[in-house]
Amino acid sequence: ADINIGAHAYAGNLRSWKNRVMSRVTHVILESGGSVTGNFLSGKSEREIRKLKNTGIDVALLFHGSDIRQAALHQRTVADSPLTESGAYWDAVRRNAELNLHLAQSFDGPIFVSTPGLLAHVPHSIWLPLVIDSNRFSYDHPVLERKRPIVIHAPSNPQMKGTAKIEPILEKLDSEGIIEYQRLSNIPHAKMPDFIATADIVVDQVVLGDYGVLQCEAMAAGRLVLASVNVAQEFVPDLPVIHTTASTLEGLIRDAVTRRRDEFIEFASKGPGYIRAHHSPTTAAKILAENLHLI
């Protein structure tokens, strides 16, 4: 991005920012049903879309995950879907996703999703892959050469990642001396490359069926990645992530440490090439340019 503006600065200069958008911008991508000329979560995206288009601005939508993932479909395709959970938090997640789906269904422009598993949730959507700076995650550190491998889990949202199912297994394996478990919390994103570099295995989530930023960064670093990715693999069968559920996690880690080290080392080595092929800035720019009619 040429300009990054934080929420505080955005709110403090809303009028000038709105004028800048309306007078100088040619294309707008609204993320997660949010806004570029008002409150970030105004819930008035349809009105804003009309206003932008009437000004001559081309508009697209972009969704990332729980903001659009539909509970009923997810429950049918992912056995351990967290969207079956009850409570105010999950009610809000489901309600927001339904509102965003309604917005997407009534929209007549390009709709992007940042993970392949979301293609089934958003009709006529286009996969806009996450962009990973491979150079930041390029390491010569060997993987799975320690007798006791380091396993990390870094849940940005423990409820959505299935941390309550993951952590007892990793703590058990740590107590047995099979692995060294490290849970990462509140780590600035700029420091994540250093932590990923020291790991052998990255366990992201076991309940979503898709892959996101942490898995991409771990693949770029050549780490062995374990996560629930059955839905994503329908669209990218060459994905170098081992599909993992809560019931298979322990067995896979024991295999990686004892019986199948060489096999898993070879599998992890495919990660950097996959990220360069699918998640480069050039790939994302080409998709944006083609669908926003910039070329």
Side-chain angles (χ1 to χ4, degrees), residues 150-155 161-163 166-167 170 179 181-182 199-206 214-215 218 224-228 244-245 249 253:
I150 294 176
V151 179
I152 65 171
H153 175 53
K161 298 283 188 174
T163 297
I166 293 169
E167 197 151 57
L170 300 184
I179 64 168
Y181 169 48
Q182 296 179 1
D200 294 284
I201 301 172
V202 176
V203 179
D204 182 29
Q205 50 77 21
V206 294
L214 179 60
Q215 291 176 60
L224 180 65
V225 186
L226 305 182
S228 168
T244 309
T245 65
L249 177 59
I253 292 179

Side-chain angles (χ1 to χ4, degrees), residues 283-294:
T283 300
K286 184 172 184 292
I287 292 170
L288 284 172
E290 289 175 348
N291 289 283
L292 297 178
H293 310 297
L294 301 177

Side-chain angles (χ1 to χ4, degrees), residues 18-276:
K18 181 177 178 178
N19 291 337
R20 178 179 184 138
V21 170
M22 290 300 188
S23 63
R24 297 176 57 182
V25 169
T26 60
H27 296 72
V28 163
I29 300 176
L30 295 174
E31 292 189 76
S32 304
S35 168
V36 295
T37 63
N39 187 289
F40 271 121
L41 300 175
S42 65
K44 300 177 181 177
S45 296
E46 291 171 327
R47 184 188 305 173
E48 174 155 320
I49 289 167
R50 288 194 299 271
K51 184 185 299 183
L52 292 168
K53 286 187 173 183
N54 289 338
T55 310
I57 296 171
D58 289 329
V59 181
L61 304 181
L62 171 61
F63 299 100
H64 295 291
S66 60
D67 56 358
I68 195 70
R69 192 176 286 119
Q70 298 302 300
L73 175 58
H74 198 247
Q75 291 164 23
R76 291 196 300 270
T77 54
V78 179
D80 296 324
S81 171
L83 297 178
T84 61
E85 301 287 341
S86 60
Y89 170 79
W90 295 108
D91 289 343
V93 168
R94 288 187 286 264
R95 184 167 56 253
N96 184 60
E98 290 171 0
L99 289 172
N100 280 331
L101 180 62
H102 173 77
L103 173 67
Q105 289 172 332
S106 63
F107 183 71
D108 63 355
I111 304 174
F112 300 105
V113 292
S114 61
T115 67
L118 292 177
L119 292 169
H121 290 258
V122 188
H124 313 298
S125 57
I126 303 155
W127 182 26
L128 178 63
L130 299 163
V131 172
I132 302 299
D133 183 355
S134 295
N135 293 330
R136 291 184 64 217
F137 295 91
S138 179
Y139 302 112
D140 295 327
H141 301 297
V143 66
L144 287 174
E145 289 195 357
R146 301 179 182 90
K147 181 179 179 181
R148 186 182 181 188
I150 294 176
V151 179
I152 65 171
H153 175 53
S156 54
N157 182 337
Q159 291 174 284
M160 197 64 71
K161 298 283 188 174
T163 297
K165 298 178 179 181
I166 293 169
E167 197 151 57
I169 295 170
L170 300 184
E171 290 175 343
K172 173 187 174 183
L173 293 170
D174 183 284
S175 68
E176 293 179 13
I178 303 295
I179 64 168
E180 179 183 332
Y181 169 48
Q182 296 179 1
R183 176 174 176 175
L184 306 183
S185 300
N186 302 316
I187 303 296
H189 187 256
K191 295 185 178 181
M192 280 301 293
D194 296 331
F195 286 96
I196 292 174
T198 65
D200 294 284
I201 301 172
V202 176
V203 179
D204 182 29
Q205 50 77 21
V206 294
V207 294
L208 293 179
D210 211 345
Y211 76 105
V213 174
L214 179 60
Q215 291 176 60
C216 286
E217 292 174 343
M219 283 186 274
R223 306 301 97 181
L224 180 65
V225 186
L226 305 182
S228 168
V229 289
N230 62 312
V231 178
Q233 286 174 329
E234 296 176 9
F235 300 95
V236 280
D238 59 336
L239 178 65
V241 176
I242 296 180
H243 176 56
T244 309
T245 65
S247 62
T248 63
L249 177 59
E250 181 176 346
L252 284 169
I253 292 179
R254 290 187 185 276
D255 280 354
V257 176
T258 57
R259 296 181 289 275
R260 300 169 62 188
R261 276 205 187 220
D262 290 343
E263 176 188 341
F264 284 170
I265 289 171
E266 173 63 23
F267 189 84
S269 72
K270 299 176 182 178
Y274 177 86
I275 294 300
R276 287 192 297 269

